[in-house]
Amino acid sequence: LEGILHHLGQWFSKRKKKALFDALEKVKSELMTLGFISLLLTVTARYISRICIPAGAAHTMLPCKLSRSSEHGEGHGRRHLSEEPANFSCPKGMVSLVSTDGLHQLHIFVFFLAVFHVTFSAITMSLGRAKTRIWKEWEKDTSSITYEFSADPSKFRLTHQTSFVRQHASCWSKSTIMLYVVSFFRQFFRSVRRTDYLTLRHGFIAAHLSPGTRFNFRKYIKRSLQDDFKTVVGISPPLWASALAVMLFNVHGWHNLFWFSTIPLVVILAIGTKLQAIIARMAVEITEKHTVIQGMPVVKLSDEHFWFGKPHMVLHLIHFALFQNAFEITYFFWIWVRLLLTFGIIFYGTTLSVLF
């Protein structure tokens, strides 16, 4: 694995992919943190397994209802994955918090969580790059005579005649509630239309560059995507804490896994709705400020369009949603692997008992 990461880093350096190289370095640091967590779990497993808690609390803090057979069986009603050390036993009415084999399964789960998160982030990055390839033709169109004629700075037009305003500013945009309702459904279709791309490109050039400058807006978006990838590929302490909270509070009757699985969906839908509403809001602002415009409409994006005036908050929410998705996928596969192994052992034992 180290050799693969090393050659991948060399390839990024040769291709001058500095942002991706930095993201790879963050992946290496995450793997080092992961190894340290695994080492801590290995060293402290014996001591953690000797932490005793009341049997009533142990029966309550279970993801599934405790059956009567398990309650009167071995292990003081606690369904351990393995036997506790022979030279240690909890006092009467107390049970071990986590078995030694349970801790072993925990750091296996943590390892696969990090692997799935990095893989999930890489897939998201690849899908984002695939999305920007669609804009390549639109960027080429900016060099055509047709585009220069439509963006002629000496041409006057009414604001409601422009394609951008016609698509986003209508009777429903006058109401904030209706604007967000329409924006919610729009995200399920083509999120960025050709008119949106060209208008945002023109507004960016007008704000940061001199008029008539030849600028490849798509390559700028591509580089920005790589910079954002450095943020979403890491696992911050709050994300580790959220995963730990899901596992600790997975109590029978609370249905925590169901509620936590809806969080990424709600976050992504909220972000998609907000971004569509921002585009619609910019179109409304054009109609409110101007009746006649010269050339293409110039949009002005402000931090006030975003939640609490912090555009970077959107990126952190996407990071959180990606991590939660990776956690749910890891948990799903982890449970299925444990079930398949359990059924395999039962089937193998039953077959041997029938044969002999």
Side-chain angles (χ1 to χ4, degrees):
L1 179 61
E2 183 182 1
I4 292 173
L5 294 177
H6 176 69
H7 289 295
L8 188 60
Q10 287 183 332
W11 186 76
F12 284 150
S13 298
K14 291 180 181 179
R15 297 288 299 270
K16 297 181 180 181
K17 305 286 186 180
K18 186 179 183 300
L20 293 179
F21 181 80
D22 294 339
L24 183 65
E25 291 297 320
K26 181 171 285 190
V27 171
K28 291 181 180 179
S29 65
E30 294 295 339
L31 293 177
M32 182 177 294
T33 305
L34 185 67
F36 183 70
I37 293 174
S38 179
L39 178 63
L40 284 179
L41 288 174
T42 303
V43 171
T44 60
R46 181 181 182 87
Y47 304 99
I48 294 176
S49 62
R50 294 186 177 188
I51 299 175
C52 298
I53 59 174
H59 295 171
T60 303
M61 300 294 289
L62 290 173
C64 302
K65 188 177 182 180
L66 187 66
S67 61
R68 292 183 179 271
S69 59
S70 300
E71 190 174 355
H72 297 287
E74 296 181 357
H76 305 283
R78 189 68 166 159
R79 295 173 294 173
H80 292 301
L81 297 175
S82 68
E83 294 290 338
E84 293 299 326
N87 59 348
F88 175 80
S89 61
C90 288
K92 187 177 180 180
M94 306 282 285
V95 295
S96 177
L97 177 64
V98 186
S99 65
T100 305
D101 193 48
L103 287 171
H104 176 65
Q105 294 298 326
L106 178 61
H107 73 73
I108 290 177
F109 174 80
V110 170
F111 172 76
F112 279 102
L113 174 61
V115 171
F116 268 95
H117 176 64
V118 173
T119 304
F120 206 71
S121 301
I123 293 174
T124 306
M125 174 69 177
S126 301
L127 292 175
R129 289 171 63 90
K131 180 73 174 180
T132 59
R133 290 193 187 99
I134 303 176
W135 306 342
K136 194 173 184 178
E137 296 297 325
W138 300 345
E139 189 65 36
K140 288 182 179 179
D141 292 342
T142 58
S143 301
S144 63
I145 300 177
T146 305
Y147 175 80
E148 293 180 359
F149 175 76
S150 61
D152 186 5
S154 61
K155 184 179 179 180
F156 288 89
R157 286 182 298 173
L158 297 173
T159 54
H160 66 270
Q161 292 179 343
T162 60
S163 301
F164 180 71
V165 174
R166 284 203 312 267
Q167 289 182 2
H168 296 284
S170 184
C171 57
W172 50 264
S173 60
K174 297 179 180 179
S175 171
T176 304
I177 297 176
M178 287 301 300
L179 185 143
Y180 276 94
V181 170
V182 174
S183 299
F184 174 80
F185 289 103
R186 273 193 170 181
Q187 66 179 315
F188 299 107
F189 302 96
R190 178 170 290 185
S191 56
V192 180
R193 297 174 176 82
R194 183 178 182 275
T195 306
D196 300 339
Y197 177 83
L198 296 178
T199 304
L200 293 174
R201 176 185 181 276
H202 181 71
F204 179 85
I205 293 177
H208 301 282
L209 303 172
S210 58
T213 303
R214 293 292 181 181
F215 178 74
N216 195 318
F217 186 62
R218 176 185 166 272
K219 286 186 177 180
Y220 171 78
I221 295 295
K222 189 177 177 181
R223 290 192 300 269
S224 300
L225 180 64
Q226 293 175 0
D227 291 334
D228 293 340
F229 183 65
K230 293 188 296 183
T231 301
V232 302
V233 77
I235 305 179
S236 60
L239 294 182
W240 282 116
S242 66
L244 183 62
V246 173
M247 298 175 69
L248 287 178
F249 296 101
N250 187 19
V251 181
H252 171 66
W254 289 9
H255 308 291
N256 279 9
L257 287 180
F258 171 77
W259 296 113
F260 275 98
S261 64
T262 60
I263 292 177
L265 177 63
V266 173
V267 169
I268 291 299
L269 290 178
I271 291 174
T273 303
K274 184 62 176 178
L275 295 179
Q276 288 291 330
I278 288 174
I279 297 177
R281 181 64 64 186
M282 289 190 293
V284 173
E285 288 178 354
I286 292 176
T287 59
E288 291 176 351
K289 294 180 180 179
H290 306 282
T291 305
V292 179
I293 61 172
Q294 188 176 6
M296 287 188 67
V298 179
V299 294
K300 293 183 179 180
L301 185 60
S302 172
D303 291 350
E304 299 301 324
H305 288 123
F306 295 88
W307 289 305
F308 307 108
K310 297 180 179 179
H312 211 65
M313 183 179 177
V314 173
L315 186 61
H316 290 301
L317 288 175
I318 294 174
H319 186 195
F320 174 76
L322 286 175
F323 179 78
Q324 286 295 323
N325 282 332
F327 176 83
E328 295 292 336
I329 294 173
T330 307
Y331 200 89
F332 174 79
F333 281 108
W334 183 59
I335 289 178
W336 272 102
V337 168
R338 296 300 302 169
L339 288 175
L340 291 176
L341 288 176
T342 303
F343 286 132
I345 293 172
I346 294 174
F347 176 77
Y348 182 72
T350 305
T351 305
L352 289 179
S353 63
V354 170
L355 290 176
F356 294 101

